[in-house]
Structures are given as structure tokens and as C-alpha cells.
Amino acid sequence: MKSISLIQFLIEARRNGQLNAELSLLIEVVARACKRIAVATGKGALGDVLGGAGTDNVQGEHQKKLDVISNEILLEANAWGGHLAACASEEMEDPQPIPDAYPKGNHLLLFDPLDGSSNIDINVSVGTIFSVLRCPDDIQQVETHHFLQPGVEQLAAGYVLYGPRTLLVLTFGHGTHEFTLDREIGSFILTRRDIRIPAETAEFAINMSNQRHWQAPMKRYIDEVLEGVEGPRGKDFNMRWVAAMVADVHRILTRGGVFYYPLDAKNQAQGGKLRLLYEANPMAFLVEQAGGAATDGHQRIMELQPTGLHQRVPVFLGSRDEIELVTRYHQQDLPAA
Ligand code: AFP
């Protein structure tokens, strides 16, 4: 079978009018930066990159050395490319404008440089998540509010999964596609075109240790699922939880399933656990483009109007039938927060 590299794939998409040259080059720059992150994560103790950085990020979470390294790699790679007006990251309180020394473009890039970083030290999968927005025209200086666009405005989104294989999963609104890094030649090669998520599933992902903190609709849904073949659902379910959203979403894009991080008594004050702009929205875009669904329990994630750069939301995504059911339980129980 003739292999298609990421660059060839993007050139074809440009010829088909699916994306413009600037966006295509921006995706290439992000992919190239992620190859460097893959090398850093792969070195582990040999590269002195394990353990804490001794600092906290804007969310008050302890940063790992690799969180900081990955953030710097993405910032540096994107600063000079000429395709961006500014970047925003989980690791930085405010957006970072492109330095004056470099040409500026008309895109905004948001990223979680290393999602699931508590997995790093135990050698389990982690990933980078990114989202691309258009920068409004005639902006002298990019400010936080320019990033506060609903997910339906995303031009592209994707993640890179650093696992046994390094994979890039990408959408620019024309399906969701997977590329595998061929480490010998250093290129991402198309390995799945137009991924589809089955509408039905019997596999769910949730952190069950939070069960006693959940709201009534979540408790009801999981209680029914756990009753298996004897319960109202009439079938046995299986559970998986990697604790790195990228890996859990990748499983869903491979064999179906659902991922839940609901509102609970512990995260209620913050509005949820996962970040809207650089976790929930890009994942929702990828999942919807593969035929799945993504809600906050009440409405489509991609239609939420963001109110803050680091805003958190409840997340329910994956196989469509299951997401519709769990969303219906929430809608019947409570008005949207
Ligand atoms: P970290 O990047 O701090 O490890 O958080 C990962 C994450 O944001 C997401 O990738 C996981 O799905 C989720 O948090 C895991 O949360 P719990 O630790 O509460 O299970």
C-alpha cells in the first residue's frame, strides 16, 4: 500500500479547497513540535525529564518537568512560523503574543502541552491537545477575549498521543484522521482516514472514585449501567480509565465507547474538571467529525460561549446513543448551570 505522509495529505486537502496554506503550515509546525515532545517523553530518566518542576501552573496544579519542556517546545516552534497572532496554553495564565521580531499570521493556537502528565513518571500514555481559531481582523494586540470563541468556530483541532506509538489525530472539519509517526523516517503517515465512532457501545470511562460526589443523574446512569444484563440497560458494560484524556478519547476513536468527567461536589465550584478551550472543545470537534457526540450534560460543548481562557466544563463524549441518554438524564433532572 502506498503510504501518504501528513504533508501530502495536507497538500491534497489544500487542492480540494478544504484548508488554506497558512492553516496547513500551522498544522505542520505543531506536528513537528510534537515530534520533539515525543523524543523528550521517550527519554525519561535518561534525559533527566522525570519528576516535578517545583512550580505550579495557573490552575494551581503542580507542574512536571515535561509539562514545562513541552510548553516551551510548542511556543518556540510556533513563534517564528508566521501563521499565528498568539498562543494560549494550560501552563500560562495569559495568552502569549508572537514576538515583534517575527511575522504574524491570523490564527490563534490553544494547547494543553502535556495532558495526563501524572502518567509520565509511571510510563503510561500522555498527549498534547490543540485547537486553532481565527484571529479577528484588524487586531493591534491580541487579548484574552479574542480567544473566547465557541468550539464551532474552531478551524482545526487535534491531539498527539505519546504511547507505544506516537499518533497524530487531526480534524479541520472534513473528517477525523489518524497519522502514525514512522520513527525511522521521522514522518507522520496516514494510518486511518475518516475514523467513525459506532453509535452504540458497552464500554465507559469514568473515575469511579468520585461516585459519592456525583449529582443524581450521573449516579442513576452509572447505577443502571452497573446492573448489567439484569438491569434496565439489558447488557453488561466494561470500564476503562487511563487518567489521560487523550488516551481515553483515542480508545473511543478506535473501538467506540464513552468518556465522562461530570460535575461533582469536588469540582462544582470550578464548573468541572476539564478545560473548555484546549481540552473539551478540540476533543468535541474530533469526536463529532467521527460521528460521535459531545455535551456538558445539557448542551453541545461546541456551542458553549466561553467566559474565561481556563474555564472548566463537565464533559460527556463518545458513542452517540449513550451520550444522548446520559444528557437526557441530566436535562430531566436539573436546569443547566
Ligand atoms: P493531569 O494532566 O493533571 O494528569 O490531568 C489529566 C486530566 O486533565 C485528563 O487528561 C484526565 O482524563 C483527567 O484529568 C483525570 O482526572 P482524575 O485524576 O481525576 O482521574
Side-chain angles (χ1 to χ4, degrees):
M1 192 185 74
K2 193 176 160 299
S3 65
I4 299 173
S5 70
L6 173 66
I7 293 176
Q8 287 173 306
F9 184 87
L10 293 173
I11 290 172
E12 275 174 25
R14 274 162 58 181
R15 286 189 189 140
N16 295 336
Q18 296 177 346
L19 81 172
N20 62 34
E22 199 176 329
L23 181 56
S24 145
L25 289 166
L26 168 53
I27 293 169
E28 280 178 47
V29 171
V30 172
R32 206 174 317 133
C34 290
K35 285 187 217 169
R36 290 185 56 205
I37 299 175
V39 171
T41 53
K43 279 206 163 76
L46 302 178
D48 190 26
V49 293
L50 300 184
T55 48
D56 287 351
N57 68 10
V58 54
Q59 347 264 339
E61 298 160 343
H62 297 312
Q63 288 177 305
K64 300 278 185 187
K65 281 186 197 168
L66 271 171
D67 284 324
V68 176
I69 293 169
S70 306
N71 194 51
E72 279 166 8
I73 289 174
L74 277 159
L75 287 178
E76 195 189 303
N78 283 290
W80 58 270
H83 321 300
L84 281 180
C87 292
S89 157
E90 183 191 12
E91 305 302 331
M92 306 183 305
E93 181 147 15
D94 298 312
Q96 171 133 333
I98 298 304
D100 286 339
Y102 301 113
K104 291 177 195 49
N106 58 4
H107 293 100
L108 302 173
L109 176 69
L110 293 117
F111 50 82
D112 178 352
L114 210 59
D115 174 67
S117 55
S118 59
N119 280 350
I120 293 168
D121 294 348
I122 57 169
N123 198 21
V124 172
S125 296
V126 288
T128 298
I129 311 173
F130 64 92
S131 164
V132 183
L133 296 168
R134 192 185 314 281
C135 184
D137 291 337
D138 303 326
I139 299 296
Q140 294 306 314
Q141 191 175 345
V142 180
E143 291 171 19
T144 297
H145 67 91
H146 296 125
F147 285 85
L148 305 185
Q149 304 180 32
V152 288
E153 299 295 335
Q154 291 174 105
L155 300 177
Y159 60 76
V160 175
L161 173 61
Y162 313 106
R165 303 180 290 284
T166 294
L167 304 174
L168 165 67
V169 177
L170 175 69
T171 186
F172 37 84
H174 295 271
T176 295
H177 315 285
E178 178 204 83
F179 302 81
T180 301
L181 180 62
D182 182 328
R183 294 182 216 258
E184 276 145 43
I185 59 171
S187 293
F188 280 106
I189 305 294
L190 181 68
T191 38
R192 282 193 295 158
R193 192 191 279 270
D194 265 323
I195 295 172
R196 302 309 292 168
I197 300 175
E200 287 182 31
T201 185
E203 191 164 70
F204 66 98
I206 195 165
N207 184 338
M208 285 292 293
S209 70
N210 293 323
Q211 191 168 20
R212 71 185 191 286
H213 304 295
W214 294 337
Q215 297 180 328
M218 200 65 230
K219 281 188 180 151
R220 173 188 171 192
Y221 172 87
I222 292 291
D223 284 350
E224 290 180 1
V225 155
L226 295 181
E227 281 181 64
V229 73
E230 287 102 38
R233 302 301 309 277
K235 63 178 179 181
D236 289 330
F237 282 75
N238 182 35
M239 196 198 92
R240 288 286 184 272
W241 185 248
V242 184
M245 190 190 195
V246 173
D248 280 313
V249 170
H250 192 70
R251 185 183 56 257
I252 291 167
L253 286 167
T254 305
R255 65 183 191 209
V258 281
F259 170 95
Y260 303 137
Y261 215 115
L263 205 60
D264 64 35
K266 287 198 301 182
N267 65 38
Q268 192 158 22
Q270 301 165 311
K273 158 100 186 191
L274 301 173
R275 277 50 64 119
L276 173 59
L277 287 175
Y278 42 81
E279 292 180 325
N281 267 343
M283 291 307 199
F285 194 12
L286 290 163
V287 163
E288 284 196 7
Q289 284 291 314
T295 77
D296 69 347
H298 292 273
Q299 57 173 313
R300 192 176 166 213
I301 283 178
M302 293 219 291
E303 288 177 359
L304 295 171
Q305 174 58 51
T307 54
L309 192 59
H310 301 288
Q311 179 183 351
R312 297 176 192 250
V313 285
V315 173
F316 301 79
L317 60 78
S319 291
R320 179 166 289 281
D321 290 358
E322 218 54 35
I323 298 303
E324 283 174 4
L325 180 67
V326 73
T327 303
R328 202 156 58 240
Y329 283 7
H330 282 79
Q331 288 167 341
Q332 284 164 1
D333 190 77
L334 284 170

